[in-house]
Amino acid sequence: MKLLLPAMLIASFSLTACAQAPAPDAQRDADATAASGPAPASRLHVDPASADGRAVEAIRKINPRVEVDAVGAAPIEGFREVIVSGQVLYVSDDGRYLLQGSLFDIEQRRDLSEVGLAKVRRALLAEVPESDRIVFGPPAPTYTVTVFTDVECGYCRKLHQEIDEYNRQGIAIQYVAFPRMGPASEDFRTMEAVWCAEDRKQALTDAKAGKTVPSRRCTNPVAMHYELGQRIGLSGTPLIIAEDGTQLPGYMPPAALRAALDDLAKNNGSAAATIGG
């Protein structure tokens, strides 16, 4: 089994439309310096002597600076499921062995790895209040999706050009920022200007149309959104996430997105009915 260590702890979404740009040399140097520093304080608290604790410790032996978002029993006996940067890893209960990749249940025809990932995405996105998002939606939406967006990405612009049709399909789009060129970029500063504008919706529309958005500084959530995207494992934009935490392909035409959300709702309803007996 080929493992990319420690780079394996940074997930890659193949379905997103615009790839994240490589970090500039200065940013890479800063990352390398940070990697040699002390490990960050963990938000996850587990008993070090437990199987969960051994799994977390095994991951930190690979990369002491990584932050584990979730750990718990895996669907396969003898392993713990660990979620890091939008990626699922399976660590043996004794902390010795690690498996990387999706776990597919052939009988149920389900990707069991996606179940844990969806829970983590949902929990992380719950930390972002609606006031920190830019929302385009009908008065009473049937569905609401979170979209990590960039003002320079071609498919992000295409999605926004069709925003009225998404709304007509009953879909509310809640944008969060992911300037894929990174914190030191003009792209990042433009998105800060958008989130600091008096009319954020118009500023975002202007920026995606290639118009200049007047520079403005304020306390804004762009850096927090960017960090959140990295924790989720985002590597490109747009990234669409349904209310239950399910990741959808990067760009979908309005009718296709509505159909996908209808299918997801139906499948979730069937699963709930099965659990309820």
Side-chain angles (χ1 to χ4, degrees), residues 34-66:
S36 64
S42 176
R43 304 179 200 181
L44 187 70
H45 300 287
V46 295
D47 178 1
S50 67
D52 285 349
R54 288 190 292 272
V56 171
E57 180 59 25
I59 298 298
R60 289 177 179 156
K61 285 181 181 178
I62 297 170
N63 184 345
R65 290 197 53 78
V66 79

mmCIF file of all heavy atoms in Angstrom, residues 34-66:
data_model
loop_
_atom_site.group_PDB
_atom_site.id
_atom_site.type_symbol
_atom_site.label_atom_id
_atom_site.label_comp_id
_atom_site.label_asym_id
_atom_site.label_seq_id
_atom_site.Cartn_x
_atom_site.Cartn_y
_atom_site.Cartn_z
ATOM 1 N N ALA A 34 6.581 26.219 10.294
ATOM 2 C CA ALA A 34 5.525 25.892 11.255
ATOM 3 C C ALA A 34 5.525 24.413 11.583
ATOM 4 O O ALA A 34 5.254 24.020 12.715
ATOM 5 C CB ALA A 34 4.171 26.312 10.713
ATOM 6 N N ALA A 35 5.824 23.571 10.576
ATOM 7 C CA ALA A 35 5.784 22.126 10.783
ATOM 8 C C ALA A 35 6.831 21.670 11.788
ATOM 9 O O ALA A 35 6.688 20.624 12.419
ATOM 10 C CB ALA A 35 5.990 21.389 9.452
ATOM 11 N N SER A 36 7.919 22.440 11.927
ATOM 12 C CA SER A 36 8.971 22.056 12.854
ATOM 13 C C SER A 36 8.700 22.544 14.269
ATOM 14 O O SER A 36 9.434 22.241 15.189
ATOM 15 C CB SER A 36 10.314 22.610 12.370
ATOM 16 O OG SER A 36 10.288 24.033 12.385
ATOM 17 N N GLY A 37 7.633 23.342 14.439
ATOM 18 C CA GLY A 37 7.302 23.912 15.743
ATOM 19 C C GLY A 37 6.496 22.945 16.572
ATOM 20 O O GLY A 37 6.278 21.789 16.209
ATOM 21 N N PRO A 38 6.035 23.412 17.733
ATOM 22 C CA PRO A 38 5.264 22.533 18.617
ATOM 23 C C PRO A 38 3.911 22.182 18.021
ATOM 24 O O PRO A 38 3.373 22.925 17.210
ATOM 25 C CB PRO A 38 5.101 23.385 19.882
ATOM 26 C CG PRO A 38 5.217 24.800 19.406
ATOM 27 C CD PRO A 38 6.201 24.766 18.273
ATOM 28 N N ALA A 39 3.385 21.054 18.416
ATOM 29 C CA ALA A 39 2.083 20.628 17.914
ATOM 30 C C ALA A 39 1.008 21.566 18.440
ATOM 31 O O ALA A 39 1.088 22.061 19.551
ATOM 32 C CB ALA A 39 1.795 19.193 18.370
ATOM 33 N N PRO A 40 -0.026 21.823 17.622
ATOM 34 C CA PRO A 40 -1.103 22.701 18.076
ATOM 35 C C PRO A 40 -1.954 22.040 19.137
ATOM 36 O O PRO A 40 -2.010 20.819 19.232
ATOM 37 C CB PRO A 40 -1.924 22.918 16.787
ATOM 38 C CG PRO A 40 -1.676 21.680 15.988
ATOM 39 C CD PRO A 40 -0.263 21.280 16.286
ATOM 40 N N ALA A 41 -2.606 22.860 19.956
ATOM 41 C CA ALA A 41 -3.510 22.307 20.958
ATOM 42 C C ALA A 41 -4.687 21.635 20.255
ATOM 43 O O ALA A 41 -5.266 22.179 19.326
ATOM 44 C CB ALA A 41 -4.011 23.414 21.880
ATOM 45 N N SER A 42 -5.026 20.429 20.684
ATOM 46 C CA SER A 42 -6.087 19.677 20.028
ATOM 47 C C SER A 42 -7.446 20.072 20.583
ATOM 48 O O SER A 42 -7.609 20.297 21.775
ATOM 49 C CB SER A 42 -5.863 18.177 20.226
ATOM 50 O OG SER A 42 -6.931 17.444 19.688
ATOM 51 N N ARG A 43 -8.449 20.124 19.689
ATOM 52 C CA ARG A 43 -9.824 20.362 20.118
ATOM 53 C C ARG A 43 -10.511 19.047 20.473
ATOM 54 O O ARG A 43 -11.609 19.042 20.993
ATOM 55 C CB ARG A 43 -10.605 21.044 18.989
ATOM 56 C CG ARG A 43 -9.972 22.325 18.497
ATOM 57 C CD ARG A 43 -10.789 22.934 17.370
ATOM 58 N NE ARG A 43 -9.997 23.861 16.584
ATOM 59 C CZ ARG A 43 -10.459 24.541 15.547
ATOM 60 N NH1 ARG A 43 -11.709 24.415 15.183
ATOM 61 N NH2 ARG A 43 -9.667 25.360 14.879
ATOM 62 N N LEU A 44 -9.847 17.922 20.151
ATOM 63 C CA LEU A 44 -10.428 16.614 20.393
ATOM 64 C C LEU A 44 -9.802 16.022 21.649
ATOM 65 O O LEU A 44 -8.585 15.933 21.765
ATOM 66 C CB LEU A 44 -10.158 15.705 19.188
ATOM 67 C CG LEU A 44 -10.822 14.341 19.190
ATOM 68 C CD1 LEU A 44 -12.323 14.500 18.983
ATOM 69 C CD2 LEU A 44 -10.231 13.471 18.083
ATOM 70 N N HIS A 45 -10.620 15.629 22.599
ATOM 71 C CA HIS A 45 -10.130 15.082 23.856
ATOM 72 C C HIS A 45 -10.539 13.616 23.964
ATOM 73 O O HIS A 45 -11.731 13.291 23.990
ATOM 74 C CB HIS A 45 -10.671 15.888 25.032
ATOM 75 C CG HIS A 45 -10.278 17.330 25.004
ATOM 76 N ND1 HIS A 45 -9.002 17.759 25.275
ATOM 77 C CD2 HIS A 45 -10.992 18.444 24.697
ATOM 78 C CE1 HIS A 45 -8.937 19.076 25.158
ATOM 79 N NE2 HIS A 45 -10.134 19.515 24.802
ATOM 80 N N VAL A 46 -9.545 12.738 24.014
ATOM 81 C CA VAL A 46 -9.793 11.302 24.143
ATOM 82 C C VAL A 46 -8.853 10.736 25.202
ATOM 83 O O VAL A 46 -7.792 11.293 25.487
ATOM 84 C CB VAL A 46 -9.579 10.562 22.808
ATOM 85 C CG1 VAL A 46 -10.591 11.004 21.764
ATOM 86 C CG2 VAL A 46 -8.162 10.782 22.276
ATOM 87 N N ASP A 47 -9.251 9.616 25.767
ATOM 88 C CA ASP A 47 -8.422 8.927 26.751
ATOM 89 C C ASP A 47 -7.217 8.305 26.035
ATOM 90 O O ASP A 47 -7.392 7.446 25.157
ATOM 91 C CB ASP A 47 -9.259 7.842 27.430
ATOM 92 C CG ASP A 47 -8.457 7.041 28.450
ATOM 93 O OD1 ASP A 47 -7.259 7.331 28.649
ATOM 94 O OD2 ASP A 47 -9.044 6.116 29.048
ATOM 95 N N PRO A 48 -5.986 8.717 26.392
ATOM 96 C CA PRO A 48 -4.808 8.187 25.690
ATOM 97 C C PRO A 48 -4.687 6.669 25.762
ATOM 98 O O PRO A 48 -4.084 6.051 24.879
ATOM 99 C CB PRO A 48 -3.633 8.876 26.421
ATOM 100 C CG PRO A 48 -4.226 10.091 27.050
ATOM 101 C CD PRO A 48 -5.623 9.706 27.422
ATOM 102 N N ALA A 49 -5.257 6.072 26.820
ATOM 103 C CA ALA A 49 -5.144 4.620 26.987
ATOM 104 C C ALA A 49 -6.213 3.846 26.217
ATOM 105 O O ALA A 49 -6.148 2.617 26.136
ATOM 106 C CB ALA A 49 -5.224 4.261 28.471
ATOM 107 N N SER A 50 -7.181 4.542 25.652
ATOM 108 C CA SER A 50 -8.259 3.879 24.917
ATOM 109 C C SER A 50 -7.836 3.580 23.488
ATOM 110 O O SER A 50 -6.806 4.062 22.999
ATOM 111 C CB SER A 50 -9.504 4.766 24.903
ATOM 112 O OG SER A 50 -9.260 5.945 24.135
ATOM 113 N N ALA A 51 -8.669 2.787 22.792
ATOM 114 C CA ALA A 51 -8.394 2.504 21.380
ATOM 115 C C ALA A 51 -8.435 3.787 20.565
ATOM 116 O O ALA A 51 -7.630 3.982 19.642
ATOM 117 C CB ALA A 51 -9.417 1.492 20.848
ATOM 118 N N ASP A 52 -9.371 4.689 20.911
ATOM 119 C CA ASP A 52 -9.419 5.985 20.219
ATOM 120 C C ASP A 52 -8.128 6.755 20.447
ATOM 121 O O ASP A 52 -7.568 7.354 19.521
ATOM 122 C CB ASP A 52 -10.604 6.819 20.730
ATOM 123 C CG ASP A 52 -11.938 6.338 20.193
ATOM 124 O OD1 ASP A 52 -11.945 5.496 19.274
ATOM 125 O OD2 ASP A 52 -12.979 6.816 20.689
ATOM 126 N N GLY A 53 -7.655 6.759 21.688
ATOM 127 C CA GLY A 53 -6.429 7.471 22.015
ATOM 128 C C GLY A 53 -5.225 6.904 21.279
ATOM 129 O O GLY A 53 -4.360 7.649 20.804
ATOM 130 N N ARG A 54 -5.152 5.579 21.176
ATOM 131 C CA ARG A 54 -4.037 4.958 20.460
ATOM 132 C C ARG A 54 -4.087 5.299 18.973
ATOM 133 O O ARG A 54 -3.042 5.490 18.326
ATOM 134 C CB ARG A 54 -4.054 3.438 20.679
ATOM 135 C CG ARG A 54 -3.649 3.025 22.083
ATOM 136 C CD ARG A 54 -3.442 1.523 22.185
ATOM 137 N NE ARG A 54 -4.694 0.777 22.036
ATOM 138 C CZ ARG A 54 -5.507 0.493 23.045
ATOM 139 N NH1 ARG A 54 -5.229 0.899 24.269
ATOM 140 N NH2 ARG A 54 -6.612 -0.210 22.837
ATOM 141 N N ALA A 55 -5.306 5.385 18.428
ATOM 142 C CA ALA A 55 -5.444 5.736 17.010
ATOM 143 C C ALA A 55 -4.973 7.163 16.763
ATOM 144 O O ALA A 55 -4.250 7.444 15.794
ATOM 145 C CB ALA A 55 -6.897 5.566 16.568
ATOM 146 N N VAL A 56 -5.387 8.080 17.635
ATOM 147 C CA VAL A 56 -4.964 9.477 17.488
ATOM 148 C C VAL A 56 -3.458 9.593 17.635
ATOM 149 O O VAL A 56 -2.792 10.300 16.867
ATOM 150 C CB VAL A 56 -5.685 10.365 18.531
ATOM 151 C CG1 VAL A 56 -5.090 11.777 18.540
ATOM 152 C CG2 VAL A 56 -7.179 10.426 18.232
ATOM 153 N N GLU A 57 -2.881 8.885 18.597
ATOM 154 C CA GLU A 57 -1.436 8.929 18.805
ATOM 155 C C GLU A 57 -0.689 8.374 17.591
ATOM 156 O O GLU A 57 0.374 8.871 17.215
ATOM 157 C CB GLU A 57 -1.064 8.133 20.058
ATOM 158 C CG GLU A 57 0.424 8.112 20.367
ATOM 159 C CD GLU A 57 1.025 9.499 20.574
ATOM 160 O OE1 GLU A 57 0.277 10.438 20.948
ATOM 161 O OE2 GLU A 57 2.242 9.652 20.340
ATOM 162 N N ALA A 58 -1.249 7.343 16.960
ATOM 163 C CA ALA A 58 -0.620 6.780 15.767
ATOM 164 C C ALA A 58 -0.556 7.817 14.645
ATOM 165 O O ALA A 58 0.461 7.928 13.948
ATOM 166 C CB ALA A 58 -1.398 5.542 15.310
ATOM 167 N N ILE A 59 -1.642 8.572 14.477
ATOM 168 C CA ILE A 59 -1.654 9.613 13.451
ATOM 169 C C ILE A 59 -0.623 10.685 13.775
ATOM 170 O O ILE A 59 0.104 11.170 12.902
ATOM 171 C CB ILE A 59 -3.059 10.240 13.327
ATOM 172 C CG1 ILE A 59 -4.082 9.194 12.888
ATOM 173 C CG2 ILE A 59 -3.040 11.419 12.365
ATOM 174 C CD1 ILE A 59 -3.808 8.583 11.541
ATOM 175 N N ARG A 60 -0.526 11.049 15.047
ATOM 176 C CA ARG A 60 0.417 12.108 15.439
ATOM 177 C C ARG A 60 1.868 11.661 15.345
ATOM 178 O O ARG A 60 2.772 12.486 15.266
ATOM 179 C CB ARG A 60 0.069 12.607 16.841
ATOM 180 C CG ARG A 60 -1.229 13.419 16.835
ATOM 181 C CD ARG A 60 -1.639 13.877 18.208
ATOM 182 N NE ARG A 60 -2.868 14.673 18.115
ATOM 183 C CZ ARG A 60 -3.732 14.841 19.093
ATOM 184 N NH1 ARG A 60 -3.515 14.266 20.272
ATOM 185 N NH2 ARG A 60 -4.816 15.575 18.923
ATOM 186 N N LYS A 61 2.102 10.358 15.374
ATOM 187 C CA LYS A 61 3.460 9.872 15.126
ATOM 188 C C LYS A 61 3.866 10.140 13.688
ATOM 189 O O LYS A 61 5.039 10.360 13.389
ATOM 190 C CB LYS A 61 3.540 8.370 15.417
ATOM 191 C CG LYS A 61 3.560 8.026 16.901
ATOM 192 C CD LYS A 61 3.663 6.521 17.084
ATOM 193 C CE LYS A 61 3.653 6.150 18.568
ATOM 194 N NZ LYS A 61 3.706 4.667 18.746
ATOM 195 N N ILE A 62 2.891 10.097 12.799
ATOM 196 C CA ILE A 62 3.149 10.388 11.384
ATOM 197 C C ILE A 62 3.353 11.878 11.177
ATOM 198 O O ILE A 62 4.271 12.317 10.483
ATOM 199 C CB ILE A 62 1.985 9.883 10.516
ATOM 200 C CG1 ILE A 62 1.852 8.367 10.624
ATOM 201 C CG2 ILE A 62 2.168 10.291 9.050
ATOM 202 C CD1 ILE A 62 0.591 7.810 10.003
ATOM 203 N N ASN A 63 2.468 12.685 11.785
ATOM 204 C CA ASN A 63 2.572 14.140 11.664
ATOM 205 C C ASN A 63 2.059 14.750 12.971
ATOM 206 O O ASN A 63 0.855 14.812 13.192
ATOM 207 C CB ASN A 63 1.746 14.650 10.487
ATOM 208 C CG ASN A 63 1.900 16.152 10.277
ATOM 209 O OD1 ASN A 63 2.382 16.867 11.144
ATOM 210 N ND2 ASN A 63 1.486 16.626 9.119
ATOM 211 N N PRO A 64 2.958 15.208 13.836
ATOM 212 C CA PRO A 64 2.536 15.708 15.150
ATOM 213 C C PRO A 64 1.718 16.991 15.086
ATOM 214 O O PRO A 64 1.070 17.355 16.066
ATOM 215 C CB PRO A 64 3.857 15.942 15.884
ATOM 216 C CG PRO A 64 4.873 16.103 14.810
ATOM 217 C CD PRO A 64 4.418 15.210 13.694
ATOM 218 N N ARG A 65 1.715 17.669 13.948
ATOM 219 C CA ARG A 65 0.988 18.932 13.853
ATOM 220 C C ARG A 65 -0.423 18.766 13.304
ATOM 221 O O ARG A 65 -1.175 19.735 13.226
ATOM 222 C CB ARG A 65 1.759 19.922 12.951
ATOM 223 C CG ARG A 65 3.047 20.417 13.582
ATOM 224 C CD ARG A 65 3.560 21.658 12.880
ATOM 225 N NE ARG A 65 2.541 22.691 12.796
ATOM 226 C CZ ARG A 65 2.191 23.492 13.792
ATOM 227 N NH1 ARG A 65 2.761 23.357 14.977
ATOM 228 N NH2 ARG A 65 1.266 24.412 13.627
ATOM 229 N N VAL A 66 -0.781 17.569 12.940
ATOM 230 C CA VAL A 66 -2.099 17.368 12.352
ATOM 231 C C VAL A 66 -3.178 17.476 13.429
ATOM 232 O O VAL A 66 -2.939 17.143 14.598
ATOM 233 C CB VAL A 66 -2.170 15.999 11.649
ATOM 234 C CG1 VAL A 66 -2.383 14.869 12.650
ATOM 235 C CG2 VAL A 66 -3.271 15.983 10.615
#
